[in-house]
Amino acid sequence: MRRSLLLAAGLSLAVTAVPELAAAQRRPNDQERQEQEAAKKKKRESEWSDVQAPLPALRNAGPCPYVKVLYDAARYVEFKDNREASANVAYSGEIQGISAGCQYKDSDPIKVTMEVLFELGKGPQATADTKSYRYWVAVTKRNDSVITKQYFDLPVKFAEGQDRIYATEEIGQITIPRATATTSGSNFEILVGFDVTPQMAAFNRDGKRFRVNAGQATVAGSAEPR
């Protein structure tokens, strides 16, 4: 539902932009008019394309908390014998996206609901068709300390011949108390990530991924980290 609302808002923006663009085209000699329209368009684009903006609020006392995936824990790659090679991957996972919304008014606490989309994989070294992934959700003061952190288990089953599945986890309600009625949601962040080992975190932090080798001297299906 939230995606539909965002698409509708984007469509509305496009509809209002078309007459303005057409008007500018009808006045090719009016340089000042064109510059004004270009400035308005640039302003709109900068406001709507800010991926770091807080979540949209609906009739709230203020903005919603920021919701992010922690980079070091965004992916889960489990290697056999801790050897970093595509042929040694047992299980993998990646957080593909988050949709969320919040609600609060007066002096009420902030209530946040979330949906997290996971992509989960079974590699050549997997020993079973079932796997329980563990992830966490943390509430923090923005750019500061952790207020609370909770772990969740995500059990999955791969069908015969299946090496990749998608799963959506719904976090029903996260309640964040506010000290006063003037405390806004922008003072808080909600972080999501896999429960990873230090080696996995370092692998993610270094930006390593696997790609198929190119060239005649390579063996089909071989891969190397990048």
Side-chain angles (χ1 to χ4, degrees), residues 102-121:
C102 84
Q103 185 175 16
Y104 65 102
K105 62 181 180 179
D106 300 328
S107 59
D108 293 344
I110 302 169
K111 296 180 180 180
V112 181
T113 57
M114 298 171 51
E115 286 189 355
V116 186
L117 176 63
F118 294 89
E119 181 183 10
L120 309 166

Side-chain angles (χ1 to χ4, degrees), residues 71 201-208 226:
Y71 183 79
F203 184 85
N204 293 336
R205 193 178 305 117
D206 292 340
K208 294 180 180 178
R226 65 174 180 178

Side-chain angles (χ1 to χ4, degrees), residues 42-166:
K42 184 176 180 180
K43 183 176 183 297
R44 285 196 300 268
E45 291 175 346
S46 66
E47 291 174 345
W48 283 82
S49 63
D50 185 2
V51 296
Q52 297 298 327
L55 296 173
L58 179 61
R59 297 181 180 177
N60 288 335
C64 288
Y66 289 69
V67 177
K68 302 177 181 178
V69 178
L70 186 66
Y71 183 79
D72 291 1
R75 292 184 295 134
Y76 178 98
V77 185
E78 181 180 322
F79 295 104
K80 181 181 179 180
D81 300 326
N82 292 326
R83 296 180 59 187
E84 295 182 0
S86 60
N88 291 335
V89 174
Y91 300 96
S92 63
E94 185 166 358
I95 299 175
Q96 292 288 349
I98 301 175
S99 60
C102 84
Q103 185 175 16
Y104 65 102
K105 62 181 180 179
D106 300 328
S107 59
D108 293 344
I110 302 169
K111 296 180 180 180
V112 181
T113 57
M114 298 171 51
E115 286 189 355
V116 186
L117 176 63
F118 294 89
E119 181 183 10
L120 309 166
K122 184 180 71 170
Q125 296 301 326
T127 57
D129 291 333
T130 59
K131 170 69 176 176
S132 183
Y133 293 85
R134 192 166 175 81
Y135 69 97
W136 49 262
V137 177
V139 179
T140 74
K141 292 183 179 179
R142 189 177 175 191
N143 300 320
D144 200 343
S145 59
V146 174
I147 299 174
T148 185
K149 185 176 183 180
Q150 186 170 349
Y151 289 84
F152 301 90
D153 291 318
L154 175 57
V156 298
K157 180 176 177 60
F158 297 91
E160 184 177 355
Q162 187 179 34
D163 63 359
R164 184 178 304 176
I165 61 175
Y166 291 88

